[in-house]
Amino acid sequence: MHLFFSTPVWTSKINNFESVNNEMSEYISSLRKTDPLGVVKSNFKGWHSKNFDLQNKEPKNFIEAIKNNINNSLTSMNWDLHSQSVKIKSMWAIINEKSAWNQKHHHSNSDISAAYYVEAHDNCGDIVFYDPRPARVYKHPIATESNDLNATVNSVKPEPGLLVLFPSYLEHSVKPNMSDKKRIVISFNLSLERN
């Protein structure tokens, strides 16, 4: 058996995530205080920040902390990193209190997108990924149980310090937060641009 046209989703914990999460939690809280309405995109009941200013100290520290994890994913794709530069195009935060969720969407005009969990608890809302192949979604036989070959939907359970990277074209949603504690995620898009 060969796995042709597989869709990668990378998950990894970052080093020293506790201190990174403390700094980013304070940064995100200050953004919410200055802009309590935020923006509405895929979020329902949750708060979505405007894009971070990537020149600020906290986002710079965060990018430095996740750099190795990103590089591992890019290397596994065998993309030419000599003739292309990796650029983070946008970065923002979402806070989902109880019952908040995010509808199915994808991130256009970028190559890799991410979710990084600053704060996560049991039942706070898995990120759900959908099979990007239209033919598989249109018609598929009934399976006795779901596995990596037959599933048309998969999910990742959030946990603090977890970085999830995925192709930007991959549609995803976030289940409702059923816990009494908030879920804080940082999302971003990166692109490879020719030098």
Side-chain angles (χ1 to χ4, degrees):
M1 180 179 67
H2 301 280
L3 292 177
F4 291 160
F5 314 120
S6 299
T7 305
V9 174
W10 301 271
T11 60
S12 60
K13 288 288 264 286
I14 69 162
N15 294 327
N16 304 315
F17 71 85
E18 294 92 349
S19 61
V20 171
N21 288 2
N22 287 337
E23 181 176 57
M24 290 311 294
S25 182
E26 288 178 20
Y27 177 72
I28 292 163
S29 293
S30 71
L31 293 178
R32 190 177 191 184
K33 281 178 189 163
T34 58
D35 181 24
L37 294 179
V39 297
V40 176
K41 295 205 174 183
S42 69
N43 49 310
F44 282 83
K45 298 184 181 178
W47 178 80
H48 188 305
S49 76
K50 293 184 174 88
N51 283 335
F52 293 176
D53 180 348
L54 298 180
Q55 298 308 309
N56 285 345
K57 172 180 67 90
E58 295 87 350
K60 278 184 167 181
N61 291 343
F62 172 66
I63 291 167
E64 189 60 35
I66 62 172
K67 194 183 290 185
N68 287 339
N69 304 65
I70 291 171
N71 286 338
N72 289 339
S73 301
L74 299 177
T75 301
S76 71
M77 292 301 293
N78 206 28
W79 286 336
D80 182 356
L81 301 179
H82 297 293
S83 62
Q84 301 172 105
S85 296
V86 179
K87 299 205 172 162
I88 292 181
K89 297 176 69 175
S90 54
M91 183 180 285
W92 63 95
I94 295 175
I95 299 176
N96 280 357
E97 308 278 358
K98 186 162 188 170
S99 301
W101 58 284
N102 295 75
Q103 68 181 338
K104 189 198 284 190
H105 63 287
H106 66 274
H107 298 203
S108 58
N109 297 318
S110 53
D111 296 308
I112 297 287
S113 295
Y116 173 78
Y117 297 98
V118 176
E119 194 170 322
H121 309 276
D122 286 341
N123 301 313
C124 71
D126 291 4
I127 185 169
V128 180
F129 295 101
Y130 302 88
D131 193 330
R133 300 166 296 173
R136 279 282 292 123
V137 176
Y138 175 72
K139 164 77 170 80
H140 57 91
I142 297 169
T144 55
E145 64 181 277
S146 180
N147 66 25
D148 288 343
L149 295 177
N150 65 36
T152 57
V153 176
N154 276 303
S155 63
V156 173
K157 181 181 178 185
E159 57 182 273
L162 183 69
L163 176 65
V164 181
L165 296 161
F166 52 92
S168 299
Y169 63 75
L170 190 59
E171 286 193 312
H172 54 286
S173 63
V174 176
K175 290 182 179 179
N177 181 357
M178 302 309 292
S179 78
D180 292 322
K181 299 176 181 175
K182 64 187 172 191
R183 169 188 176 277
I184 303 176
V185 65
I186 296 170
S187 294
F188 60 88
N189 295 320
L190 63 83
S191 287
L192 276 72
E193 299 176 3
R194 291 176 190 266
N195 293 332

